[in-house]
Amino acid sequence: MINYNYVKTFSRNDIPLYMNLFKILAHLKRSYPDFARWYFTGFIPGLVNRQRQIIYAKNAKEQIIAVSLLKKTPQEDKICCLWIKKEYRRRGIASQLMYKSLKALDNPKPKVTVSEENYPEFEALFKKYGFILTCIRDDEYIAGKREFHFN
């Protein structure tokens, strides 16, 4: 059984969770070299003013198997990160997490970006939710790599 959990504001009691999520997602620095700086100086402080949210899923053993990091500001609604542990992919968890993310943002078409190399993993999910490719930017995060922007 998969349980979904929400974090809508900063709590000192959740600091171990924030650190655990960072460890789980640290591999993202391969596609986003400034991930650590963004996470600790942008995302986590955004929880304080309720402009960031976390949705995460745990399995029956209480292990985190999926994460969505969300941004909700007057200027922008964005899914900043959507990650599913490899052995839990192709089980509908990404669809559930996307659905819950869209509900949490109260927006069926938030902004989403994905690197060209990771796009094939998200293509079916983006099509399912009717996301529209709005632009492709070269060298946005890594020289020689393209970033796909949706909605």
Side-chain angles (χ1 to χ4, degrees), residues 4-118:
Y4 293 87
N5 303 275
Y6 294 78
V7 176
K8 296 182 179 184
T9 189
F10 180 85
S11 169
R12 290 189 186 281
N13 294 335
D14 286 335
I15 290 174
L17 171 66
Y18 308 146
M19 296 306 295
N20 190 25
L21 291 174
F22 176 74
K23 287 179 193 170
I24 290 168
L25 299 174
H27 68 279
L28 295 176
K29 68 183 176 189
R30 283 178 267 164
S31 296
Y32 305 100
D34 286 337
F35 179 76
R37 181 193 55 77
W38 169 81
Y39 186 81
F40 289 112
T41 66
F43 188 82
I44 296 300
L47 285 169
V48 174
N49 60 16
R50 298 177 181 261
Q51 293 189 334
R52 304 293 187 275
Q53 296 179 42
I54 301 169
I55 305 173
Y56 62 100
K58 288 184 170 184
N59 63 13
K61 295 179 181 179
E62 293 292 305
Q63 299 165 321
I64 295 173
I65 59 159
V67 178
S68 180
L69 302 179
L70 308 174
K71 176 182 181 182
K72 183 159 185 67
T73 67
Q75 300 80 24
E76 179 179 57
D77 293 341
K78 184 175 183 181
I79 298 173
C80 303
C81 174
L82 188 76
W83 171 83
I84 314 299
K85 192 172 186 176
K86 279 194 181 186
E87 54 266 32
Y88 287 89
R89 294 178 187 170
R90 303 275 180 223
R91 297 186 189 186
I93 295 168
S95 288
Q96 280 295 308
L97 197 55
M98 178 66 78
Y99 174 80
K100 291 175 186 308
S101 296
L102 300 178
K103 288 288 186 190
L105 291 170
D106 193 28
N107 183 343
K109 299 281 190 278
K111 292 183 182 179
V112 180
T113 72
V114 66
S115 65
E116 180 177 24
E117 63 191 26
N118 291 329

Side-chain angles (χ1 to χ4, degrees), residues 109-134:
K109 299 281 190 278
K111 292 183 182 179
V112 180
T113 72
V114 66
S115 65
E116 180 177 24
E117 63 191 26
N118 291 329
Y119 176 66
E121 296 176 33
F122 291 92
E123 185 175 12
L125 185 66
F126 288 178
K127 284 182 182 177
K128 176 179 179 174
Y129 283 93
F131 287 9
I132 298 167
L133 180 65
T134 56

